[in-house]
Structures are given as C-alpha cells and as structure tokens.
Amino acid sequence: THVNDAFCRISGYSREELIGQNHRIVNSGHHPKTLWQDMYKTVANGGIWHGEICNRAKNGSLYWVDTTIAPLFDDLGKVRGYFALRADITSLKNAQQQAESASLAKSEFLSNMSHEIRTPMTAILGFADILAEESDPNQFPRQFEYVNTIKRNGEHLISIINDILDLSKIEAEKMIVEQIDTDVIKIVSNVLSLMRTKAEAKGLTLEANFVTPIPKTIQSDPTRVRQILDNLVGNAIKFTSSGGVTIEVGMSDVASSEIAISVIDTGIGIKPEQLDRLFGTFEQADASTTRKFGGSGLGLRISKRLSELLGGSLTVSSQEGLGSKFTARIKARFVPGTPMIQLNPNSPLLTQNTVMPPASTTCAHRRPLAGTRILLAEDGVDNQRLISFHLRKAGATVKIADNGQIAVQMMTADATVDGPLMNPLPFDLILSDIQMPCMDGLTSTQLLRSKGCDIPILALTAHAMTTDAQKCLSAGCNAHLTKPIDPNLLISTCDYWKNMQHPPPANDVKVCVSKFADDPDMAELVTEYVESFSDSVTKIRQALEQRCFEDLGRIAHQFKGSGGGYGFPMISDAAAQLEAIVKSPDIPTESQPMFIQKSVEELINILEMARASLSNQSKSAVS
C-alpha cells in the first residue's frame, strides 16, 4: 500500500510497479518456507518479527535487508495491516561471506600444508628411528649423532606445524576447552619430570615452589593447562644459559578463584620496548633472538590465548640481562569437597619421575599382531615400506594397495569396485591413508561399509585438524591416527581393534562376586546395587557415543568409590583406570578416545559379569 524512495532505489522497481503487488515480487527463493511461516505466524498473532532477508531486485541481483515487521491494529484491536522497516546490509553480508570464505581457504591451506609436510616426515622420522635402533653408538658414534640430529630437527618441525594448527583453531574460534577434573599438582610434576633432562643438559636447575595452598582438583582443561606450562618452561630453559628456572604456583586471589602459575628464569630478559609485541603472531624479542635460539614465536601467542580461553590471562615482567617472569592465571572452578594442598619443594610428588606412558602403548619386544592379516592402503612408497615394517615386526602379514580403488578390488569376489565382498574376507584389519589418487580413503571406506564390510578400518592421515578426524569417523573409520606415525601407538591401536573384532569366547568370562555376598546384612544392598547397573551401562554408552568425557569421568569416579564399598574391587579398579584416562594430560589427544573406549568396554564387561554372577546365584538359591 505504500513504499518509500529507499525501497524503490534498493529493489530497482518504481513506485507504480510496486503498489498493489505482493511482497513475493522481490522473493529471491533463498529462504525455506519455514522462515516465512514463522514470520506470518508471529505477526498474525500480534507479535513483532525480526530477521535478515535476502531479496531479488528487478535486475535479478540479490540484496540483503535487516528487517523488522510489526502489525498495525484498528480501533477494535484487530490486525489491519503490517509495517516493515528495513536496512540495507548487503555490503555487510558480502564482507561477512568474504571473511568466511577466507577463513575456510586458510583452514584448507593449513590442512593441506600439514598433509604435505607430515607425509614425508613420517618416512624421515620413521627410518631415523630404525637407524637409531639398529646402530651401535660405540662403533659408529658420529653416525649415531647424525641420526639423532635428523630426529631432533624433524620433531621440531612437527611441533611448529602443531603450533600453527593450534593458532589457526584458536583464531577461528574452533578451539574447544573442556571443564573436567584437573589436578594442577600432577601437571606441574609431569612437566618437571619431562623438562628436567633438558635443564640439566644446560647445567640449569629446575624446581617448583607452591607459595600458597591450592585445591587438589579444579574444573578446567588439563591438556591446555599442560600446553601452557610446557610452552613457558620450554621457553625459559631455551633462553637461560646459567642459573635456573622456577615454577611458582599459588592462588592469585581467593576472591577471584584464580590459580597463578609463574615461570621465573635467570635468562637473557627482555627490553621494555619489546614487551608490547611479545605476544604477537610469529614474534620474538628481535631478529637476533630467532637466529640465536630458534623457534617460531608462536608459543607465547598460543599460551596467551589459551589462558584467556581458560578464563584468565598471561602477563610478563622482565629485566634485560636478569631474567623474566611469565604468569598464567586460570580460572579455578572448585570441585565441591576437594581438599586444599600445600607442598614443599622436597615433596616426592615434585622430585620423582611420575610420567609413565599408558601400558597399552608399549609394544617393544612383543608380537601382538601375530596372525593378523592387514591391508595397507597407502600411495607413498616410503611410507608403505616403513608402516609395513612395523606391522610385520609386530607379527602381522601385510598386503599393500596403492590407492583406495585397489583396496576395494582386493576385498571383492570379482576384483572389481562394483563386485560383492569376498566371503570370508581376506583381511582382519584395514589401514587406509585418506588422501590418495584414483580413490581416496574416505570414499573407499564408505564404499566398503555400503557393501557390508564390518572389519575395523583405521585412518592414517597427515591431516591434523579436528574436523578431519570427524570426517574419518563419519565415513565409517573406527579410529584416526595422525602422521608422523608413532610405531607404538600404531601397533597398540591395531591390537586393540583386532581384539574388539575377536573378543574372548563366552566360556572365558570370569566371575565377579561381591565379597559381601555371604553377609546376610549386606546381601539385599548388594543386590540392589548390582541391579542398578543396567541404567548405569546405558548412561555410560550414551556418554561415550556423544563423546561427553566429563560425564564418563563423573560416572567412573562414582563407581571407583561405590565398587569397593559394595565389595567389588574389580569394579573400583576398572573405574579408576577409566577416570585416570579421561583426566590424563599425558595421552595424545588423537589417541585418547581409543583408550577411553577400551576402558569403557572393560568397565562394562565387569559390570555385566557382576550381573551375570548375581543371576547365577539367584538360580542356585532357588534350585
């Protein structure tokens, strides 16, 4: 019924062309019908609707308007029409789309760059490991040192790639921080254990000082707290030539519930004019620092952003030639009932080497894959040779496919991509690279799954972005391993999924009976406890499926306490193991879900054993 000059200018229609027309004259077809249904439902009921709408001008071009639509009422309160107020936001939307496209392009570039570097680094580091293992340092000391130099620099290159990917995720706001039980004392102890060798190699001292009592457990992200401390201590050791490095830990302010972790060194210090740009991307104090000490300059930037994501900050004070003090403050969300702990520098928790790899990742001198038939789909000749070497050393027989298409053909009865699967299948396990010519690993996995292939498929990929791991799992892969491949992790992962595919026979199941089973005062309580396992198992499986590791940790913590109380030490032990894995900052991020799943299955098996044992007892009592 009315349009103003701005509407005519933006749409390209004259007033005469618009009056009497329906608003569909500028409908672009961009929005679903549900948007219009929601809009008309809102205003027809007397409400005000607001949203962003894409319209089509007379010349066919699209434009965006920020729109508010309100009803007009007559004297009786009935809706007699509508009033729409629009603001042209086309430029803003275009800029937003360009920014999103640039961000996507950057992510794709980083992912591809990661792949291109990690793929050859798998072979470089892998064969360097084999050379070091087979070399005699006493007979060939110089060659042994050369190999170690290759390994050291290769690992440094991978750490730079990891830093770049982390920074990309942070700045794209894709970095996810958890809020789970976090033991700060344990994290400090582990960092001391790992870094002490580096410090002693330079003649430096490395110690920790707890200046105030701190909570035994807080709610935070242990992996990110550990990453911050690793960066700060590593930097302090790198830039210190004499003296030492001290980690100070304490409550910065009880009222603000912050824990302050300071790393103090007696190193080269920083000039006042250089402090302002210290936390910039790819920044160090000056060019001579980079030349002398190396490094990408990303560690402090990442640590600062992680500190902020954890609800705190990262600050620095320094005097040139005397040393520096970096202080990370993190929000300490208290766990109800947790005790306050005060440690002294001589505490065994801070002097012993507490870092131990997960038991299931150590495979040296064993043949856990004996008799396992593995199909390796990998297009790189060097990586074919390296990965198959480790698999065969662990006892597996390995066949190689140069791409995903050949891998599918090796699984079908007529050796074609379209043919049915062999029966029985010729392999127990498939290891598949993701980026391959002809047919990539995701496509071959989806095709095999569509044919009914149910054997484990493990993705081997140089892509290290979180979304890449999810793509592998969505395509049907059971697990995701990042290049460069860790031989121990490779073997333990294959061993785990082999065992998942072939569980022990039913007659091998153990009996799980409460030690209070014969106590008449406890029998009824134990029965009620065991009968509640059905709901618990459902909750555990749901938490695992939804990757709610915080919920898994909470359930495991409950079973750790209640299992022993009701006379089931097996339940307590399994639950304690699961809780430890969920909270551990030491297990690599990419392999943590695998270890969690394994521990979950072990706990569920024990709970089912307890239920079966109770059922058998009841039948015996009746008979």
Side-chain angles (χ1 to χ4, degrees):
T1 61
H2 171 79
V3 295
N4 60 9
D5 292 340
F7 191 108
C8 294
R9 184 175 65 253
I10 296 171
S11 69
Y13 288 97
S14 67
R15 186 173 277 101
E16 291 72 24
E17 290 174 308
L18 291 167
I19 297 300
Q21 293 293 329
N22 189 286
H23 259 284
R24 294 188 184 92
I25 193 173
V26 292
N27 191 327
S28 66
H30 177 80
H31 303 286
K33 289 183 179 180
T34 52
L35 179 136
W36 306 116
Q37 291 169 351
D38 173 67
M39 181 192 73
Y40 285 119
K41 180 179 179 181
T42 299
V43 296
N45 290 324
I48 297 175
W49 185 90
H50 178 261
E52 295 179 350
I53 294 177
C54 178
N55 284 336
R56 186 178 300 278
K58 183 178 179 179
N59 64 5
S61 63
L62 299 179
Y63 65 94
W64 283 84
V65 284
D66 182 88
T67 304
T68 299
I69 301 177
L72 298 174
F73 301 97
D74 60 18
D75 294 339
L76 298 177
K78 294 183 179 180
V79 176
R80 63 176 178 83
Y82 305 98
F83 174 81
L85 178 66
R86 294 178 169 87
D88 186 1
I89 58 170
T90 305
S91 297
L92 179 63
K93 293 293 289 187
N94 288 340
Q96 181 181 355
Q97 290 172 357
Q98 290 173 3
E100 290 173 351
S101 297
S103 177
L104 179 61
K106 185 178 78 169
S107 295
E108 287 294 326
F109 167 75
L110 289 172
S111 183
N112 288 331
M113 181 189 69
S114 168
H115 178 88
E116 294 304 324
I117 294 178
R118 285 172 180 271
T119 295
M121 286 308 300
T122 296
I124 292 170
L125 291 176
F127 282 109
D129 279 331
I130 294 172
L131 275 175
E133 189 177 303
E134 297 181 351
S135 298
D136 185 346
N138 296 318
Q139 187 176 1
F140 303 104
R142 291 179 62 187
Q143 288 84 341
F144 191 75
E145 179 57 32
Y146 296 159
V147 172
N148 283 332
T149 301
I150 294 171
K151 287 181 57 181
R152 185 168 60 250
N153 284 276
E155 289 165 355
H156 177 61
L157 179 58
I158 290 299
S159 72
I160 292 174
I161 292 297
N162 290 337
D163 281 348
I164 292 173
L165 292 172
D166 274 348
L167 185 63
S168 174
K169 285 188 285 187
I170 291 171
E171 299 199 336
E173 299 183 353
K174 296 294 179 65
M175 175 68 77
I176 299 174
V177 295
E178 296 183 297
Q179 292 296 322
I180 60 176
D181 287 357
T182 301
D183 187 337
V184 175
I185 296 173
K186 179 182 177 182
I187 292 172
V188 172
S189 175
N190 286 343
V191 172
L192 285 174
S193 299
L194 284 178
M195 295 292 187
R196 188 164 275 133
T197 301
K198 291 183 179 180
E200 290 174 350
K202 296 185 66 173
L204 305 176
T205 61
L206 177 61
E207 60 185 19
N209 181 21
F210 284 76
V211 294
T212 73
I214 68 168
K216 176 68 173 68
T217 307
I218 63 171
Q219 289 287 300
S220 189
D221 189 323
T223 301
R224 301 309 169 191
V225 174
R226 170 68 179 272
Q227 190 174 356
I228 294 169
L229 192 55
D230 276 339
N231 279 336
L232 296 182
V233 174
N235 270 359
I237 293 173
K238 180 166 63 174
F239 295 115
T240 302
S241 301
S242 63
V245 177
T246 301
I247 304 172
E248 281 191 355
V249 186
M251 298 295 297
S252 62
D253 183 358
V254 176
S256 65
S257 300
E258 282 187 340
I259 288 183
I261 305 175
S262 298
V263 176
I264 307 165
D265 64 62
T266 57
I268 62 174
I270 306 165
K271 296 177 182 178
E273 63 269 20
Q274 295 168 340
L275 288 175
D276 291 341
R277 61 190 184 90
L278 191 63
F279 296 108
T281 306
F282 297 104
E283 292 281 1
Q284 286 188 336
D286 57 35
S288 62
T289 302
T290 302
R291 287 195 300 269
K292 182 176 180 180
F293 295 97
S296 63
L298 292 174
L300 289 178
R301 173 72 171 174
I302 292 171
S303 296
K304 184 176 189 298
R305 296 299 300 273
L306 288 177
S307 299
E308 292 167 351
L309 287 173
L310 295 175
S313 62
L314 178 61
T315 57
V316 59
S317 60
S318 183
Q319 285 186 281
E320 187 180 6
L322 297 179
S324 304
K325 177 180 180 179
F326 288 84
T327 300
R329 292 177 175 84
I330 59 174
K331 192 71 175 178
R333 296 174 176 85
F334 290 93
V335 177
T338 190
M340 301 293 286
I341 304 294
Q342 174 71 68
L343 294 181
N344 61 66
N346 296 319
S347 168
L349 284 174
L350 302 179
T351 57
Q352 295 176 357
N353 186 350
T354 58
V355 180
M356 295 293 290
S360 53
T361 66
T362 53
C363 303
H365 310 301
R366 297 194 297 118
R367 291 172 61 83
L369 301 181
T372 305
R373 302 166 301 167
I374 296 179
L375 172 59
L376 171 61
E378 163 69 57
D379 62 314
V381 175
D382 292 329
N383 284 330
Q384 288 176 355
R385 190 180 303 125
L386 176 68
I387 296 169
S388 60
F389 170 85
H390 291 302
L391 295 173
R392 287 170 180 144
K393 188 176 179 182
T397 57
V398 182
K399 297 290 185 180
I400 295 175
D402 290 331
N403 57 57
Q405 179 177 322
I406 296 174
V408 174
Q409 291 169 344
M410 292 174 68
M411 295 284 289
T412 59
D414 59 359
T416 69
V417 170
D418 298 325
L421 293 176
M422 293 184 191
N423 187 16
L425 293 174
F427 301 102
D428 304 305
L429 193 71
I430 298 175
L431 292 173
S432 179
D433 189 25
I434 296 306
Q435 188 167 310
M436 295 183 289
C438 297
M439 182 183 290
D440 61 61
L442 296 181
T443 303
S444 63
T445 297
Q446 292 169 332
L447 183 55
L448 287 171
R449 293 304 191 209
S450 70
K451 292 177 180 292
C453 177
D454 61 354
I455 65 173
I457 301 177
L458 313 182
L460 301 175
T461 174
H463 293 263
M465 305 291 276
T466 304
T467 52
D468 296 312
Q470 189 56 50
K471 286 178 183 176
C472 294
L473 298 176
S474 299
C477 297
N478 297 89
H480 168 266
L481 292 172
T482 303
K483 295 177 180 178
I485 298 297
D486 179 332
N488 284 336
L489 185 57
L490 170 70
I491 302 307
S492 64
T493 304
C494 292
D495 184 33
Y496 168 71
W497 285 105
K498 174 200 71 175
N499 292 331
M500 288 289 289
Q501 185 73 3
H502 303 289
N507 57 8
D508 289 346
V509 175
K510 299 177 182 177
V511 176
C512 183
V513 179
S514 170
K515 61 184 180 182
F516 299 125
D518 297 326
D519 186 336
D521 296 327
M522 286 289 294
E524 185 175 348
L525 291 175
V526 170
T527 299
E528 291 178 357
Y529 177 65
V530 175
E531 289 176 346
S532 71
F533 289 172
S534 179
D535 290 338
S536 298
V537 168
T538 300
K539 292 178 181 177
I540 292 172
R541 292 199 183 280
Q542 287 176 345
L544 179 64
E545 181 179 346
Q546 298 168 5
R547 299 174 72 84
C548 295
F549 296 157
E550 183 178 353
D551 291 346
L552 279 178
R554 191 179 302 112
I555 295 171
H557 182 76
Q558 293 170 352
F559 271 116
K560 183 176 72 173
S562 64
Y566 284 92
F568 292 99
M570 289 175 65
I571 293 177
S572 285
D573 292 345
Q577 180 184 9
L578 173 58
E579 183 185 25
I581 290 175
V582 168
K583 299 178 180 179
S584 174
D586 302 320
I587 299 177
T589 303
E590 65 270 15
S591 59
Q592 188 183 40
M594 180 192 71
F595 290 114
I596 288 175
Q597 180 165 350
K598 184 175 182 180
S599 290
V600 164
E601 294 299 335
E602 288 176 357
L603 176 58
I604 289 177
N605 285 340
I606 291 173
L607 296 179
E608 297 292 357
M609 284 159 45
R611 292 175 62 193
S613 298
L614 180 66
S615 176
N616 291 335
Q617 286 177 315
S618 300
K619 291 177 182 178
S620 299
V622 171
S623 60

